[in-house]
């Protein structure tokens, strides 16, 4: 009985982690689509992080948003662009936010 319970808990954690990875990937792809159309723009690094508590305190949505940070190089200038991403019914919605 203990082995079955431990196995079920492990599978649940694995599925949850895998689900978050898929959610992060969907948000990163949607944020990349929202980048400005600049010739020669290169994405150097992409990462996700939790939304700041100030935004989360006023959040009324059902799903928790995340922040997607993208380090880009365009016309020789390096910059980090941030997008807030929310998943709803399998679709990712992004909006650019200031750092």
């Amino acid at each position: 009985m203990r082995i079955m319970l431990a196995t079920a808990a492990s599978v649940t954690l694995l599925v949850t982690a895998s689900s978050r990875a898929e959610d992060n990937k969907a948000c990163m792809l949607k944020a990349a689509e929202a980048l400005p159309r600049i010739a020669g723009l290169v994405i150097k690094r992409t990462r996700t992080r939790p939304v700041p508590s100030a935004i989360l305190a006023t959040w009324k949505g059902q799903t928790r948003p995340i922040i997607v940070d993208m380090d880009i190089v365009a016309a020789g200038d390096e910059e980090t662009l941030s997008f807030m991403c929310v998943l709803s019914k399998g679709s990712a919605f992004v909006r650019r936010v200031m750092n």
Side-chain angles (χ1 to χ4, degrees), residues 39 66-67 72 98:
I66 61 171
I67 298 289
I72 64 165
M98 297 298 146

Side-chain angles (χ1 to χ4, degrees), residues 5-69:
L5 185 58
T7 303
S10 297
V11 169
T12 302
L13 289 174
L14 182 61
V15 169
T16 303
S18 175
S19 173
R20 284 189 193 135
E22 291 292 323
D23 294 349
N24 287 351
K25 186 175 180 179
C27 284
M28 287 180 193
L29 290 172
K30 196 67 167 184
E33 291 175 5
L35 287 171
R37 305 288 185 239
I38 299 172
L41 184 137
V42 177
I43 300 171
K44 291 291 186 177
R45 184 174 160 208
T46 304
R47 60 197 174 281
T48 61
R49 61 183 164 95
V51 172
S53 58
I55 293 174
L56 208 49
T58 61
W59 185 253
K60 295 181 182 176
Q62 292 181 358
T63 59
R64 262 190 120 113
I66 61 171
I67 298 289
V68 177
D69 294 319

Side-chain angles (χ1 to χ4, degrees), residues 2-3 6-7 10 17 29 32-33 43 51 54 67 70-71 84-85 87 95 99:
R2 287 183 185 177
I3 294 172
T7 303
S10 297
L29 290 172
E33 291 175 5
I43 300 171
V51 172
I67 298 289
M70 298 187 125
D71 297 331
M84 185 168 72
C85 179
L87 289 168
R95 185 182 80 189
N99 293 342

